[in-house]
Coordinates of all heavy atoms in Angstrom, one line a residue:
M11 N -10.7 -5.3 5.4 CA -9.2 -5.5 5.7 C -8.4 -4.2 5.6 O -8.7 -3.4 4.7 CB -8.7 -6.5 4.6 CG -7.4 -7.0 4.8 SD -7.4 -8.6 5.7 CE -7.9 -9.7 4.4
D12 N -7.5 -4.0 6.5 CA -6.7 -2.8 6.5 C -5.5 -2.9 5.5 O -4.8 -3.9 5.5 CB -6.2 -2.5 7.9 CG -7.3 -2.1 8.8 OD1 -8.4 -1.7 8.4 OD2 -7.0 -2.1 10.1
L13 N -5.3 -1.9 4.8 CA -4.1 -1.8 3.9 C -3.3 -0.7 4.5 O -3.7 0.5 4.4 CB -4.5 -1.5 2.5 CG -3.4 -1.2 1.5 CD1 -2.5 -2.4 1.4 CD2 -4.0 -0.9 0.1
M14 N -2.2 -1.0 5.2 CA -1.5 0.0 6.0 C -0.2 0.4 5.2 O 0.5 -0.5 4.8 CB -1.0 -0.6 7.3 CG -2.1 -1.4 8.0 SD -2.8 -0.5 9.4 CE -1.4 -0.3 10.5
V15 N 0.0 1.7 5.1 CA 1.2 2.2 4.4 C 2.0 2.9 5.4 O 1.4 3.8 6.1 CB 0.8 3.1 3.2 CG1 2.0 3.6 2.5 CG2 -0.1 2.3 2.2
C16 N 3.2 2.6 5.5 CA 4.1 3.3 6.5 C 4.3 4.7 6.1 O 4.6 5.0 4.9 CB 5.4 2.6 6.6 SG 6.5 3.4 7.7
V17 N 4.2 5.7 7.0 CA 4.4 7.1 6.7 C 5.6 7.5 7.6 O 5.8 8.7 7.8 CB 3.2 7.9 6.9 CG1 2.1 7.6 5.9 CG2 2.6 7.8 8.3
G18 N 6.4 6.6 8.1 CA 7.6 7.0 8.8 C 8.6 7.6 7.9 O 8.4 7.7 6.7
S19 N 9.6 8.2 8.5 CA 10.5 9.1 7.7 C 11.2 8.3 6.6 O 11.3 8.9 5.5 CB 11.5 9.8 8.6 OG 12.1 8.9 9.5
S20 N 11.7 7.1 6.8 CA 12.4 6.4 5.7 C 11.5 6.1 4.6 O 11.8 6.3 3.4 CB 13.0 5.1 6.2 OG 14.0 5.3 7.1
C21 N 10.3 5.7 4.9 CA 9.3 5.4 3.8 C 8.8 6.6 3.2 O 8.5 6.6 2.0 CB 8.2 4.5 4.4 SG 8.7 2.9 4.9
H22 N 8.8 7.7 3.9 CA 8.4 9.0 3.3 C 9.4 9.3 2.2 O 9.0 9.8 1.1 CB 8.3 10.0 4.4 CG 7.9 11.4 3.9 ND1 6.6 11.7 3.6 CD2 8.6 12.5 3.6 CE1 6.5 12.9 3.2 NE2 7.7 13.4 3.1
L23 N 10.6 9.1 2.5 CA 11.7 9.4 1.5 C 11.6 8.5 0.3 O 12.1 8.8 -0.8 CB 13.1 9.3 2.1 CG 13.5 10.3 3.1 CD1 14.8 10.0 3.8 CD2 13.5 11.7 2.5
Q24 N 10.9 7.4 0.4 CA 10.7 6.4 -0.7 C 9.4 6.7 -1.4 O 8.8 5.9 -2.1 CB 10.7 5.0 -0.2 CG 11.9 4.7 0.6 CD 12.9 3.8 -0.2 OE1 12.9 3.8 -1.4 NE2 13.7 3.0 0.5
N25 N 8.8 7.9 -1.1 CA 7.6 8.3 -1.7 C 6.3 7.6 -1.3 O 5.5 7.2 -2.1 CB 7.7 8.3 -3.2 CG 8.8 9.2 -3.7 OD1 8.9 10.4 -3.3 ND2 9.6 8.8 -4.6
S26 N 6.2 7.4 0.0 CA 5.0 6.7 0.6 C 3.8 7.5 0.2 O 2.7 6.9 0.0 CB 5.1 6.5 2.1 OG 5.3 7.8 2.7
R27 N 3.9 8.8 0.1 CA 2.8 9.6 -0.3 C 2.2 9.2 -1.7 O 1.0 9.2 -1.9 CB 3.1 11.1 -0.3 CG 2.0 11.8 0.5 CD 2.2 13.3 0.7 NE 3.6 13.6 0.9 CZ 4.1 14.8 0.8 NH1 3.3 15.8 0.6 NH2 5.4 15.1 1.0
D28 N 3.1 9.0 -2.6 CA 2.6 8.6 -3.9 C 2.0 7.2 -3.9 O 1.0 6.9 -4.7 CB 3.8 8.5 -4.9 CG 4.4 9.9 -5.2 OD1 3.6 10.9 -4.9 OD2 5.5 10.0 -5.7
V29 N 2.5 6.3 -3.1 CA 1.9 5.0 -3.0 C 0.5 5.1 -2.4 O -0.4 4.4 -2.9 CB 2.8 4.0 -2.1 CG1 2.1 2.7 -1.8 CG2 4.2 3.8 -2.8
I30 N 0.4 5.9 -1.4 CA -1.0 6.1 -0.8 C -1.9 6.7 -1.8 O -3.1 6.2 -1.9 CB -0.9 7.0 0.5 CG1 -0.1 6.3 1.6 CG2 -2.3 7.5 0.9 CD1 0.2 7.1 2.8
K31 N -1.5 7.6 -2.5 CA -2.3 8.3 -3.5 C -2.8 7.3 -4.6 O -4.0 7.2 -4.9 CB -1.5 9.4 -4.2 CG -2.3 10.3 -5.1 CD -1.5 11.5 -5.5 CE -2.1 12.1 -6.8 NZ -1.5 11.6 -8.0
R32 N -1.9 6.4 -5.0 CA -2.2 5.4 -6.0 C -3.1 4.4 -5.5 O -4.1 3.9 -6.1 CB -0.9 4.8 -6.6 CG -1.1 3.9 -7.8 CD -1.8 4.7 -9.0 NE -2.2 3.7 -10.0 CZ -3.4 3.8 -10.6 NH1 -4.2 4.8 -10.3 NH2 -3.8 2.9 -11.5
F33 N -2.9 3.9 -4.2 CA -3.8 2.9 -3.6 C -5.2 3.5 -3.5 O -6.2 2.8 -3.7 CB -3.3 2.6 -2.2 CG -2.1 1.6 -2.2 CD1 -1.4 1.4 -1.0 CD2 -1.8 0.9 -3.3 CE1 -0.4 0.4 -1.0 CE2 -0.7 -0.1 -3.3 CZ 0.0 -0.3 -2.1
K34 N -5.3 4.8 -3.2 CA -6.6 5.4 -3.0 C -7.4 5.3 -4.4 O -8.5 4.9 -4.4 CB -6.4 6.9 -2.6 CG -7.4 7.4 -1.6 CD -7.1 8.8 -1.3 CE -6.3 8.9 0.0 NZ -6.0 10.3 0.4
E35 N -6.6 5.6 -5.4 CA -7.3 5.5 -6.8 C -7.6 4.1 -7.1 O -8.7 3.8 -7.7 CB -6.3 6.1 -7.8 CG -6.0 7.6 -7.7 CD -4.8 8.0 -8.5 OE1 -4.1 7.2 -9.1 OE2 -4.6 9.2 -8.5
L36 N -6.7 3.2 -6.8 CA -7.0 1.7 -7.1 C -8.2 1.2 -6.4 O -8.9 0.4 -6.9 CB -5.7 0.9 -6.8 CG -4.6 1.1 -7.9 CD1 -3.2 0.7 -7.3 CD2 -4.9 0.4 -9.2
I37 N -8.3 1.6 -5.1 CA -9.5 1.1 -4.3 C -10.8 1.5 -5.0 O -11.7 0.7 -5.1 CB -9.4 1.6 -2.9 CG1 -8.3 0.9 -2.1 CG2 -10.7 1.5 -2.2 CD1 -8.0 1.5 -0.7
E38 N -10.8 2.7 -5.6 CA -11.9 3.2 -6.3 C -12.1 2.4 -7.6 O -13.2 2.0 -8.0 CB -11.8 4.7 -6.6 CG -12.1 5.5 -5.3 CD -11.9 7.0 -5.5 OE1 -12.0 7.4 -6.7 OE2 -11.7 7.7 -4.5
E39 N -11.0 2.3 -8.3 CA -11.1 1.6 -9.6 C -11.6 0.1 -9.5 O -12.3 -0.4 -10.3 CB -9.7 1.5 -10.3 CG -9.3 2.8 -11.0 CD -7.8 2.8 -11.4 OE1 -7.3 1.7 -11.8 OE2 -7.2 3.9 -11.4
Y40 N -11.2 -0.5 -8.4 CA -11.6 -1.9 -8.2 C -12.9 -2.0 -7.3 O -13.3 -3.1 -7.0 CB -10.5 -2.7 -7.5 CG -9.4 -3.1 -8.4 CD1 -8.3 -2.2 -8.7 CD2 -9.3 -4.3 -9.1 CE1 -7.3 -2.6 -9.6 CE2 -8.3 -4.7 -9.9 CZ -7.3 -3.8 -10.2 OH -6.2 -4.2 -11.0
H41 N -13.4 -0.8 -7.0 CA -14.7 -0.8 -6.2 C -14.5 -1.5 -4.9 O -15.4 -2.3 -4.5 CB -15.9 -1.3 -7.0 CG -16.0 -0.6 -8.3 ND1 -16.4 0.7 -8.4 CD2 -15.8 -1.0 -9.6 CE1 -16.4 1.1 -9.7 NE2 -16.1 0.1 -10.4
L42 N -13.4 -1.3 -4.2 CA -13.2 -2.0 -2.9 C -13.3 -1.1 -1.7 O -12.9 -1.4 -0.6 CB -11.7 -2.6 -3.0 CG -11.5 -3.7 -4.0 CD1 -10.0 -4.1 -4.0 CD2 -12.3 -4.9 -3.7
E43 N -14.0 0.0 -1.9 CA -14.2 0.9 -0.8 C -14.8 0.3 0.4 O -14.5 0.7 1.5 CB -15.1 2.1 -1.2 CG -14.5 3.0 -2.3 CD -15.0 2.6 -3.7 OE1 -15.4 1.4 -3.9 OE2 -15.0 3.4 -4.6
G44 N -15.7 -0.7 0.2 CA -16.3 -1.3 1.4 C -15.5 -2.4 2.1 O -15.8 -2.7 3.2
S45 N -14.5 -2.8 1.4 CA -13.7 -4.0 2.0 C -12.3 -3.7 2.3 O -11.6 -4.4 3.1 CB -13.8 -5.2 1.1 OG -13.4 -4.9 -0.2
V46 N -11.7 -2.7 1.7 CA -10.3 -2.4 1.9 C -10.2 -1.0 2.5 O -10.7 0.0 2.0 CB -9.5 -2.4 0.6 CG1 -8.0 -2.0 0.9 CG2 -9.5 -3.8 0.1
E47 N -9.6 -0.9 3.7 CA -9.5 0.4 4.3 C -8.0 0.8 4.3 O -7.1 0.1 4.9 CB -10.0 0.4 5.8 CG -10.2 1.8 6.3 CD -11.0 1.8 7.6 OE1 -11.6 0.8 7.9 OE2 -11.0 2.8 8.2
L48 N -7.7 2.0 3.7 CA -6.4 2.5 3.6 C -6.0 3.3 4.9 O -6.7 4.2 5.3 CB -6.3 3.4 2.4 CG -5.0 3.9 1.9 CD1 -4.0 2.8 1.6 CD2 -5.1 4.8 0.7
K49 N -4.9 2.9 5.5 CA -4.5 3.6 6.7 C -3.0 3.9 6.7 O -2.2 3.2 6.1 CB -4.7 2.7 7.9 CG -6.2 2.5 8.2 CD -6.4 1.7 9.5 CE -7.9 1.6 9.8 NZ -8.1 0.6 10.9
G50 N -2.6 5.0 7.3 CA -1.2 5.3 7.5 C -0.7 4.6 8.7 O -1.5 4.4 9.7
S51 N 0.6 4.3 8.7 CA 1.1 3.6 9.9 C 2.5 4.2 10.3 O 3.2 4.8 9.4 CB 1.3 2.1 9.6 OG 2.3 1.6 10.4
F52 N 2.8 4.2 11.5 CA 4.1 4.6 12.0 C 5.1 3.6 11.5 O 4.7 2.5 11.0 CB 4.2 4.8 13.5 CG 3.4 5.9 13.9 CD1 2.3 5.7 14.8 CD2 3.6 7.2 13.5 CE1 1.5 6.8 15.2 CE2 2.9 8.3 13.9 CZ 1.8 8.1 14.8
C53 N 6.4 3.8 11.7 CA 7.4 2.9 11.2 C 7.2 1.5 11.6 O 6.8 1.2 12.8 CB 8.8 3.4 11.8 SG 10.1 2.3 11.4
M54 N 7.3 0.6 10.7 CA 7.0 -0.8 11.0 C 8.3 -1.6 11.2 O 8.3 -2.8 11.2 CB 6.2 -1.4 9.8 CG 4.8 -0.8 9.7 SD 3.8 -1.7 8.5 CE 3.1 -0.5 7.5
G55 N 9.4 -0.9 11.2 CA 10.7 -1.5 11.5 C 11.4 -2.2 10.3 O 12.3 -3.0 10.4
H56 N 10.9 -1.8 9.1 CA 11.5 -2.4 7.9 C 12.0 -1.3 7.0 O 12.0 -1.3 5.8 CB 10.4 -3.1 7.1 CG 10.0 -4.4 7.7 ND1 10.5 -5.7 7.2 CD2 9.2 -4.7 8.8 CE1 10.0 -6.6 8.0 NE2 9.2 -6.1 8.9
C57 N 12.6 -0.3 7.6 CA 13.1 0.9 6.9 C 14.2 0.5 5.9 O 14.3 1.2 4.9 CB 13.7 1.9 7.9 SG 12.7 2.2 9.3
A58 N 14.9 -0.5 6.1 CA 16.0 -0.9 5.3 C 15.6 -1.5 3.9 O 16.3 -1.6 3.0 CB 17.0 -1.8 6.0
D59 N 14.3 -1.9 3.8 CA 13.8 -2.5 2.6 C 13.8 -1.5 1.5 O 13.7 -0.3 1.7 CB 12.4 -3.0 2.8 CG 12.4 -4.2 3.8 OD1 13.4 -4.6 4.2 OD2 11.3 -4.7 4.1
A60 N 13.9 -2.0 0.3 CA 14.0 -1.1 -0.9 C 12.6 -0.6 -1.4 O 12.2 -0.9 -2.5 CB 14.8 -1.7 -2.0
G61 N 11.9 0.1 -0.5 CA 10.6 0.5 -1.0 C 9.8 1.0 0.3 O 10.3 1.0 1.4
V62 N 8.6 1.3 0.0 CA 7.7 1.7 1.1 C 7.1 0.5 1.8 O 6.6 -0.5 1.1 CB 6.6 2.6 0.6 CG1 5.6 3.0 1.7 CG2 7.1 3.8 -0.2
C63 N 7.1 0.5 3.1 CA 6.6 -0.7 3.9 C 5.1 -0.7 3.9 O 4.5 0.3 4.3 CB 7.2 -0.6 5.3 SG 6.9 -2.0 6.2
V64 N 4.5 -1.8 3.4 CA 3.1 -1.9 3.4 C 2.7 -3.2 4.1 O 3.3 -4.2 3.9 CB 2.6 -2.0 1.9 CG1 1.1 -2.3 1.8 CG2 2.9 -0.6 1.2
K65 N 1.6 -3.1 4.9 CA 1.1 -4.3 5.6 C -0.3 -4.6 5.1 O -1.2 -3.7 5.1 CB 1.1 -4.1 7.1 CG 0.9 -5.3 7.9 CD 1.1 -5.0 9.3 CE 0.9 -6.2 10.2 NZ 1.0 -5.9 11.6
Y66 N -0.5 -5.9 4.7 CA -1.8 -6.3 4.3 C -2.0 -7.7 4.7 O -1.2 -8.6 4.5 CB -2.0 -6.1 2.8 CG -3.4 -6.4 2.3 CD1 -4.4 -5.5 2.6 CD2 -3.7 -7.6 1.6 CE1 -5.7 -5.8 2.2 CE2 -5.0 -7.8 1.2 CZ -6.0 -6.9 1.6 OH -7.3 -7.2 1.2
A67 N -3.1 -8.0 5.4 CA -3.4 -9.4 5.8 C -2.3 -9.9 6.6 O -1.9 -11.1 6.4 CB -3.8 -10.3 4.7
D68 N -1.7 -9.1 7.5 CA -0.6 -9.5 8.4 C 0.7 -9.9 7.7 O 1.6 -10.4 8.3 CB -1.0 -10.7 9.3 CG -1.9 -10.3 10.5 OD1 -1.7 -9.1 10.9 OD2 -2.7 -11.1 10.9
E69 N 0.8 -9.5 6.4 CA 2.1 -9.7 5.7 C 2.7 -8.3 5.5 O 2.0 -7.4 5.2 CB 1.8 -10.4 4.4 CG 1.2 -11.8 4.4 CD 2.3 -12.8 4.6 OE1 3.5 -12.5 4.4 OE2 2.0 -14.0 5.0
I70 N 4.0 -8.3 5.5 CA 4.7 -7.1 5.2 C 5.2 -7.1 3.8 O 5.8 -8.1 3.4 CB 5.9 -6.9 6.2 CG1 5.4 -6.9 7.6 CG2 6.7 -5.6 5.8 CD1 4.9 -5.5 8.1
Y71 N 5.0 -6.1 3.1 CA 5.5 -6.0 1.7 C 6.3 -4.7 1.5 O 6.2 -3.8 2.3 CB 4.3 -5.9 0.7 CG 3.4 -7.1 0.8 CD1 2.4 -7.1 1.6 CD2 3.7 -8.3 0.0 CE1 1.5 -8.2 1.7 CE2 2.8 -9.4 0.1 CZ 1.7 -9.3 0.9 OH 0.9 -10.4 1.0
S72 N 7.1 -4.7 0.5 CA 7.8 -3.5 0.1 C 7.4 -3.0 -1.2 O 7.5 -3.7 -2.2 CB 9.3 -3.8 0.1 OG 10.1 -2.7 -0.1
V73 N 6.8 -1.8 -1.3 CA 6.1 -1.4 -2.5 C 6.7 0.0 -2.9 O 7.0 0.9 -2.1 CB 4.6 -1.2 -2.3 CG1 3.9 -0.7 -3.5 CG2 4.0 -2.5 -1.8
R74 N 6.9 0.2 -4.2 CA 7.4 1.5 -4.7 C 6.2 2.0 -5.6 O 5.4 1.3 -6.0 CB 8.6 1.3 -5.6 CG 9.8 0.8 -4.8 CD 11.1 0.8 -5.7 NE 10.9 0.1 -7.0 CZ 11.1 -1.2 -7.2 NH1 11.4 -2.0 -6.2 NH2 10.9 -1.7 -8.4
P75 N 6.2 3.3 -5.8 CA 5.1 3.9 -6.5 C 5.0 3.2 -7.9 O 3.8 2.9 -8.3 CB 5.6 5.4 -6.8 CG 6.4 5.7 -5.6 CD 7.1 4.4 -5.2
E76 N 6.1 2.8 -8.5 CA 6.0 2.1 -9.8 C 5.5 0.7 -9.7 O 5.2 0.1 -10.7 CB 7.2 2.3 -10.6 CG 8.5 1.8 -10.0 CD 9.2 2.8 -9.1 OE1 8.5 3.7 -8.5 OE2 10.4 2.6 -8.9
T77 N 5.5 0.1 -8.5 CA 5.1 -1.3 -8.4 C 3.7 -1.4 -7.7 O 3.2 -2.4 -7.4 CB 6.1 -2.2 -7.6 OG1 6.3 -1.7 -6.3 CG2 7.4 -2.3 -8.4
A78 N 3.2 -0.2 -7.3 CA 1.9 -0.2 -6.6 C 0.8 -0.9 -7.3 O 0.0 -1.6 -6.7 CB 1.5 1.3 -6.2
D79 N 0.7 -0.6 -8.6 CA -0.4 -1.2 -9.4 C -0.4 -2.7 -9.4 O -1.4 -3.4 -9.1 CB -0.4 -0.7 -10.8 CG -1.0 0.7 -11.0 OD1 -0.5 1.5 -10.2 OD2 -1.9 0.9 -11.8
E80 N 0.8 -3.2 -9.6 CA 1.0 -4.7 -9.7 C 0.8 -5.3 -8.3 O 0.1 -6.3 -8.2 CB 2.5 -5.0 -10.2 CG 2.8 -6.4 -10.4 CD 1.9 -7.0 -11.5 OE1 1.4 -6.3 -12.4 OE2 1.8 -8.3 -11.5
F81 N 1.3 -4.7 -7.3 CA 1.1 -5.2 -5.9 C -0.4 -5.2 -5.6 O -0.9 -6.2 -5.1 CB 1.8 -4.3 -4.9 CG 1.3 -4.5 -3.5 CD1 1.8 -5.6 -2.8 CD2 0.4 -3.7 -2.9 CE1 1.4 -5.9 -1.5 CE2 -0.1 -4.0 -1.6 CZ 0.4 -5.0 -0.9
F82 N -1.1 -4.2 -5.9 CA -2.5 -4.1 -5.6 C -3.3 -5.2 -6.4 O -4.1 -5.8 -5.8 CB -3.0 -2.7 -6.0 CG -4.4 -2.4 -5.4 CD1 -4.5 -1.8 -4.1 CD2 -5.5 -2.8 -6.0 CE1 -5.7 -1.5 -3.6 CE2 -6.8 -2.5 -5.5 CZ -6.9 -1.9 -4.2
K83 N -3.0 -5.3 -7.6 CA -3.7 -6.3 -8.5 C -3.5 -7.7 -7.9 O -4.4 -8.5 -7.8 CB -3.2 -6.1 -9.9 CG -4.1 -6.8 -10.9 CD -3.8 -6.3 -12.3 CE -2.5 -6.9 -12.8 NZ -2.1 -6.5 -14.1
T84 N -2.2 -8.1 -7.6 CA -2.0 -9.4 -7.3 C -2.2 -9.8 -5.8 O -2.5 -10.9 -5.5 CB -0.5 -9.8 -7.6 OG1 0.4 -8.9 -6.9 CG2 -0.2 -9.7 -9.1
T85 N -2.1 -8.8 -5.0 CA -2.3 -9.1 -3.5 C -3.6 -8.6 -2.9 O -4.2 -9.3 -2.2 CB -1.1 -8.4 -2.8 OG1 0.1 -8.8 -3.4 CG2 -1.1 -8.8 -1.3
V86 N -4.0 -7.4 -3.2 CA -5.2 -6.8 -2.6 C -6.4 -7.2 -3.3 O -7.3 -7.8 -2.7 CB -5.0 -5.3 -2.4 CG1 -6.3 -4.7 -1.7 CG2 -3.8 -4.9 -1.7
A87 N -6.5 -6.9 -4.6 CA -7.7 -7.2 -5.4 C -7.9 -8.7 -5.4 O -9.1 -9.1 -5.4 CB -7.6 -6.6 -6.8
K88 N -6.9 -9.5 -5.5 CA -7.0 -10.9 -5.6 C -7.5 -11.6 -4.3 O -8.4 -12.4 -4.3 CB -5.6 -11.5 -6.0 CG -5.6 -13.0 -6.3 CD -4.3 -13.6 -6.2 CE -3.9 -13.9 -4.7 NZ -2.6 -14.3 -4.5
A89 N -7.0 -11.0 -3.2 CA -7.4 -11.6 -1.9 C -8.8 -11.3 -1.5 O -9.4 -12.0 -0.7 CB -6.4 -11.1 -0.8
D90 N -9.4 -10.3 -2.2 CA -10.7 -9.9 -1.7 C -11.8 -10.8 -2.2 O -11.8 -11.3 -3.3 CB -11.0 -8.5 -2.3 CG -12.3 -8.0 -1.7 OD1 -12.3 -7.8 -0.5 OD2 -13.2 -7.7 -2.4
Ligands
FES111 S1 9.9 4.3 8.2 FE1 8.7 2.8 7.2 S2 9.3 0.9 8.0 FE2 10.4 2.4 9.1

């Protein structure tokens, strides 16, 4: 399953780089390297949301670096 993080300019300003870095660590912590693929994405048209735009299993989420752990635990690790 692809875990897409927007790297467009609005999301970049919301620290998409930190979200990607944390997701990378979490994928290792949860041993999901074989099932979750982290990818960068161009703008997904949700720039106005209060966070970095993340797409997983065809759903769009808004994630901040400080909510990345919780999002990953409840949405990505759980769905796997
Ligand atoms: S820049 Fe991320 S949704 Fe537009």
Side-chain angles (χ1 to χ4, degrees):
M11 192 90 76
D12 290 345
L13 176 59
M14 318 255 295
V15 181
C16 178
V17 293
S19 48
S20 292
C21 290
H22 181 78
L23 290 174
Q24 308 254 26
N25 299 316
S26 55
R27 226 174 328 163
D28 292 343
V29 172
I30 291 173
K31 186 169 161 272
R32 188 61 193 135
F33 281 168
K34 221 179 264 181
E35 293 166 355
L36 285 161
I37 286 171
E38 285 176 20
E39 280 171 32
Y40 283 85
H41 305 291
L42 294 173
E43 295 93 337
S45 53
V46 176
E47 195 167 346
L48 188 58
K49 290 185 176 172
S51 157
F52 292 117
C53 175
M54 299 190 222
H56 288 257
C57 315
D59 293 359
V62 177
C63 188
V64 172
K65 190 173 179 184
Y66 187 71
D68 282 332
E69 296 276 347
I70 301 275
Y71 301 89
S72 184
V73 179
R74 296 188 307 275
E76 58 274 29
T77 61
D79 283 51
E80 186 62 22
F81 165 80
F82 195 92
K83 197 165 70 179
T84 56
T85 307
V86 181
K88 187 196 85 187
D90 189 62

